[in-house]
Amino acid sequence: MNAPILSKDWKPPIWIDVGAVTDIPRRGARRVTSPRGDIAIFRTGDGEVFALMDACPHKGGPLSQGIVHGRAVACPLHNWSIDLASGEPMGADKGKGCTPVVPLEVRDGRLLLSLATAVA
């Protein structure tokens, strides 16, 4: 099997430890300030974690202040439901923009963010 060919500009992601999973309550969020802007890290009732840029695609509302329900968050400004895995609005608002997803990993109970790229 051949190894993938990488661009000369390729750089490995840099992972930044931003705290323990248990720092975020179930069905809650935490905001992290970064050079790229505020990032919201969410924890569902089932313990899954997700990271999105902290701005609703509708009017830029702070998603970190919204209510987490299932695998979504309700924007506190206009109640748009945003899918935590994709950043896409749900229901009647589907297809009306997207909140960028920020790469997030959990290692040994610690939350690690990659600030090199966001998936739009």
Side-chain angles (χ1 to χ4, degrees):
M1 183 166 145
N2 294 332
I5 298 172
L6 301 175
S7 158
K8 65 179 180 170
D9 298 325
W10 181 84
K11 296 177 184 167
I14 297 170
W15 295 94
I16 298 169
D17 186 321
V18 294
V21 172
T22 55
D23 291 341
I24 303 172
R26 289 183 184 265
R27 291 178 296 282
R30 176 180 175 206
R31 188 182 62 189
V32 174
T33 302
S34 83
R36 292 186 37 227
D38 289 339
I39 297 168
I41 303 174
F42 302 93
R43 187 171 176 208
T44 67
D46 293 336
E48 290 183 282
V49 290
F50 299 92
L52 300 173
M53 295 306 293
D54 192 21
C56 178
H58 177 227
K59 298 277 184 175
L63 295 175
S64 61
Q65 295 177 25
I67 296 172
V68 175
H69 54 98
R71 295 181 85 212
V73 62
C75 177
L77 295 185
H78 300 101
N79 208 33
W80 276 32
S81 283
I82 307 298
D83 183 284
L84 293 173
S86 69
E88 293 275 341
M90 300 167 68
D93 301 312
K94 188 173 180 91
K96 296 181 180 177
C98 185
T99 299
V101 174
V102 178
L104 173 72
E105 286 189 8
V106 177
R107 293 186 202 154
D108 299 322
R110 304 293 299 174
L111 297 163
L112 302 168
L113 286 176
S114 175
L115 302 181
T117 59
V119 180

mmCIF file of all heavy atoms in Angstrom, residues 53-74:
data_model
loop_
_atom_site.group_PDB
_atom_site.id
_atom_site.type_symbol
_atom_site.label_atom_id
_atom_site.label_comp_id
_atom_site.label_asym_id
_atom_site.label_seq_id
_atom_site.Cartn_x
_atom_site.Cartn_y
_atom_site.Cartn_z
ATOM 1 N N MET A 53 -18.055 27.029 15.929
ATOM 2 C CA MET A 53 -17.822 28.448 16.139
ATOM 3 C C MET A 53 -19.051 28.985 16.869
ATOM 4 O O MET A 53 -20.166 28.532 16.621
ATOM 5 C CB MET A 53 -17.589 29.177 14.811
ATOM 6 C CG MET A 53 -16.316 28.740 14.077
ATOM 7 S SD MET A 53 -14.778 28.838 15.056
ATOM 8 C CE MET A 53 -14.611 30.596 15.282
ATOM 9 N N ASP A 54 -18.860 29.910 17.780
ATOM 10 C CA ASP A 54 -19.930 30.353 18.677
ATOM 11 C C ASP A 54 -20.786 31.449 18.056
ATOM 12 O O ASP A 54 -20.954 32.529 18.632
ATOM 13 C CB ASP A 54 -19.328 30.819 20.004
ATOM 14 C CG ASP A 54 -20.376 31.009 21.091
ATOM 15 O OD1 ASP A 54 -21.467 30.427 20.977
ATOM 16 O OD2 ASP A 54 -20.097 31.748 22.054
ATOM 17 N N ALA A 55 -21.332 31.188 16.873
ATOM 18 C CA ALA A 55 -22.189 32.175 16.208
ATOM 19 C C ALA A 55 -23.217 31.452 15.347
ATOM 20 O O ALA A 55 -22.862 30.670 14.463
ATOM 21 C CB ALA A 55 -21.357 33.110 15.344
ATOM 22 N N CYS A 56 -24.474 31.711 15.614
ATOM 23 C CA CYS A 56 -25.560 31.150 14.816
ATOM 24 C C CYS A 56 -25.458 31.691 13.386
ATOM 25 O O CYS A 56 -25.161 32.878 13.192
ATOM 26 C CB CYS A 56 -26.896 31.542 15.448
ATOM 27 S SG CYS A 56 -28.334 30.953 14.534
ATOM 28 N N PRO A 57 -25.727 30.860 12.369
ATOM 29 C CA PRO A 57 -25.643 31.348 10.993
ATOM 30 C C PRO A 57 -26.744 32.356 10.648
ATOM 31 O O PRO A 57 -26.643 33.064 9.656
ATOM 32 C CB PRO A 57 -25.773 30.084 10.142
ATOM 33 C CG PRO A 57 -26.492 29.115 11.016
ATOM 34 C CD PRO A 57 -26.066 29.435 12.423
ATOM 35 N N HIS A 58 -27.758 32.475 11.479
ATOM 36 C CA HIS A 58 -28.870 33.391 11.208
ATOM 37 C C HIS A 58 -28.491 34.839 11.503
ATOM 38 O O HIS A 58 -28.376 35.658 10.604
ATOM 39 C CB HIS A 58 -30.092 32.956 12.021
ATOM 40 C CG HIS A 58 -31.271 33.852 11.892
ATOM 41 N ND1 HIS A 58 -31.979 34.292 12.981
ATOM 42 C CD2 HIS A 58 -31.868 34.393 10.814
ATOM 43 C CE1 HIS A 58 -32.972 35.062 12.575
ATOM 44 N NE2 HIS A 58 -32.934 35.144 11.258
ATOM 45 N N LYS A 59 -28.255 35.153 12.765
ATOM 46 C CA LYS A 59 -27.928 36.529 13.164
ATOM 47 C C LYS A 59 -26.705 36.595 14.071
ATOM 48 O O LYS A 59 -26.486 37.590 14.750
ATOM 49 C CB LYS A 59 -29.112 37.168 13.889
ATOM 50 C CG LYS A 59 -30.363 37.308 13.058
ATOM 51 C CD LYS A 59 -30.318 38.548 12.208
ATOM 52 C CE LYS A 59 -31.642 38.696 11.472
ATOM 53 N NZ LYS A 59 -31.722 39.924 10.736
ATOM 54 N N GLY A 60 -25.926 35.512 14.139
ATOM 55 C CA GLY A 60 -24.698 35.521 14.928
ATOM 56 C C GLY A 60 -24.892 35.342 16.419
ATOM 57 O O GLY A 60 -23.996 35.645 17.194
ATOM 58 N N GLY A 61 -26.056 34.851 16.825
ATOM 59 C CA GLY A 61 -26.323 34.650 18.253
ATOM 60 C C GLY A 61 -25.317 33.715 18.900
ATOM 61 O O GLY A 61 -24.794 32.805 18.248
ATOM 62 N N PRO A 62 -25.012 33.914 20.179
ATOM 63 C CA PRO A 62 -24.027 33.079 20.885
ATOM 64 C C PRO A 62 -24.587 31.694 21.205
ATOM 65 O O PRO A 62 -25.321 31.514 22.174
ATOM 66 C CB PRO A 62 -23.749 33.885 22.160
ATOM 67 C CG PRO A 62 -25.021 34.639 22.407
ATOM 68 C CD PRO A 62 -25.585 34.944 21.056
ATOM 69 N N LEU A 63 -24.231 30.715 20.401
ATOM 70 C CA LEU A 63 -24.758 29.359 20.587
ATOM 71 C C LEU A 63 -24.383 28.774 21.945
ATOM 72 O O LEU A 63 -25.118 27.957 22.492
ATOM 73 C CB LEU A 63 -24.270 28.452 19.456
ATOM 74 C CG LEU A 63 -24.793 28.815 18.066
ATOM 75 C CD1 LEU A 63 -24.150 27.911 17.013
ATOM 76 C CD2 LEU A 63 -26.298 28.743 18.008
ATOM 77 N N SER A 64 -23.268 29.212 22.511
ATOM 78 C CA SER A 64 -22.840 28.694 23.817
ATOM 79 C C SER A 64 -23.846 29.045 24.915
ATOM 80 O O SER A 64 -23.840 28.436 25.981
ATOM 81 C CB SER A 64 -21.462 29.231 24.194
ATOM 82 O OG SER A 64 -21.488 30.647 24.285
ATOM 83 N N GLN A 65 -24.729 30.000 24.663
ATOM 84 C CA GLN A 65 -25.749 30.378 25.629
ATOM 85 C C GLN A 65 -27.099 29.730 25.341
ATOM 86 O O GLN A 65 -28.088 29.996 26.025
ATOM 87 C CB GLN A 65 -25.900 31.902 25.663
ATOM 88 C CG GLN A 65 -24.660 32.601 26.155
ATOM 89 C CD GLN A 65 -24.807 34.109 26.114
ATOM 90 O OE1 GLN A 65 -25.892 34.655 26.160
ATOM 91 N NE2 GLN A 65 -23.674 34.796 26.024
ATOM 92 N N GLY A 66 -27.130 28.864 24.321
ATOM 93 C CA GLY A 66 -28.372 28.193 23.945
ATOM 94 C C GLY A 66 -28.639 26.953 24.779
ATOM 95 O O GLY A 66 -27.836 26.556 25.619
ATOM 96 N N ILE A 67 -29.782 26.353 24.535
ATOM 97 C CA ILE A 67 -30.195 25.140 25.247
ATOM 98 C C ILE A 67 -29.855 23.928 24.385
ATOM 99 O O ILE A 67 -30.273 23.832 23.226
ATOM 100 C CB ILE A 67 -31.701 25.177 25.559
ATOM 101 C CG1 ILE A 67 -31.991 26.336 26.508
ATOM 102 C CG2 ILE A 67 -32.170 23.851 26.153
ATOM 103 C CD1 ILE A 67 -33.465 26.596 26.742
ATOM 104 N N VAL A 68 -29.083 22.993 24.965
ATOM 105 C CA VAL A 68 -28.712 21.761 24.274
ATOM 106 C C VAL A 68 -29.855 20.766 24.445
ATOM 107 O O VAL A 68 -30.316 20.510 25.553
ATOM 108 C CB VAL A 68 -27.391 21.181 24.845
ATOM 109 C CG1 VAL A 68 -27.065 19.838 24.201
ATOM 110 C CG2 VAL A 68 -26.247 22.170 24.644
ATOM 111 N N HIS A 69 -30.321 20.222 23.311
ATOM 112 C CA HIS A 69 -31.385 19.213 23.328
ATOM 113 C C HIS A 69 -31.024 18.138 22.307
ATOM 114 O O HIS A 69 -30.811 18.428 21.147
ATOM 115 C CB HIS A 69 -32.759 19.847 23.033
ATOM 116 C CG HIS A 69 -32.794 20.647 21.762
ATOM 117 N ND1 HIS A 69 -33.265 20.138 20.580
ATOM 118 C CD2 HIS A 69 -32.393 21.917 21.500
ATOM 119 C CE1 HIS A 69 -33.166 21.057 19.633
ATOM 120 N NE2 HIS A 69 -32.637 22.149 20.169
ATOM 121 N N GLY A 70 -30.907 16.911 22.792
ATOM 122 C CA GLY A 70 -30.448 15.828 21.907
ATOM 123 C C GLY A 70 -29.064 16.137 21.384
ATOM 124 O O GLY A 70 -28.147 16.421 22.149
ATOM 125 N N ARG A 71 -28.918 16.120 20.047
ATOM 126 C CA ARG A 71 -27.645 16.459 19.407
ATOM 127 C C ARG A 71 -27.749 17.797 18.688
ATOM 128 O O ARG A 71 -27.196 17.986 17.616
ATOM 129 C CB ARG A 71 -27.254 15.359 18.421
ATOM 130 C CG ARG A 71 -26.968 14.034 19.112
ATOM 131 C CD ARG A 71 -26.557 12.954 18.145
ATOM 132 N NE ARG A 71 -25.121 13.068 17.904
ATOM 133 C CZ ARG A 71 -24.547 12.749 16.758
ATOM 134 N NH1 ARG A 71 -25.247 12.321 15.745
ATOM 135 N NH2 ARG A 71 -23.241 12.854 16.630
ATOM 136 N N ALA A 72 -28.470 18.736 19.317
ATOM 137 C CA ALA A 72 -28.676 20.061 18.738
ATOM 138 C C ALA A 72 -28.621 21.110 19.842
ATOM 139 O O ALA A 72 -28.685 20.798 21.031
ATOM 140 C CB ALA A 72 -30.033 20.124 18.022
ATOM 141 N N VAL A 73 -28.498 22.367 19.409
ATOM 142 C CA VAL A 73 -28.560 23.500 20.339
ATOM 143 C C VAL A 73 -29.534 24.511 19.759
ATOM 144 O O VAL A 73 -29.574 24.732 18.540
ATOM 145 C CB VAL A 73 -27.164 24.137 20.580
ATOM 146 C CG1 VAL A 73 -26.570 24.711 19.312
ATOM 147 C CG2 VAL A 73 -27.235 25.191 21.673
ATOM 148 N N ALA A 74 -30.348 25.114 20.623
ATOM 149 C CA ALA A 74 -31.284 26.159 20.208
ATOM 150 C C ALA A 74 -30.610 27.508 20.404
ATOM 151 O O ALA A 74 -30.151 27.826 21.501
ATOM 152 C CB ALA A 74 -32.567 26.078 21.027
#
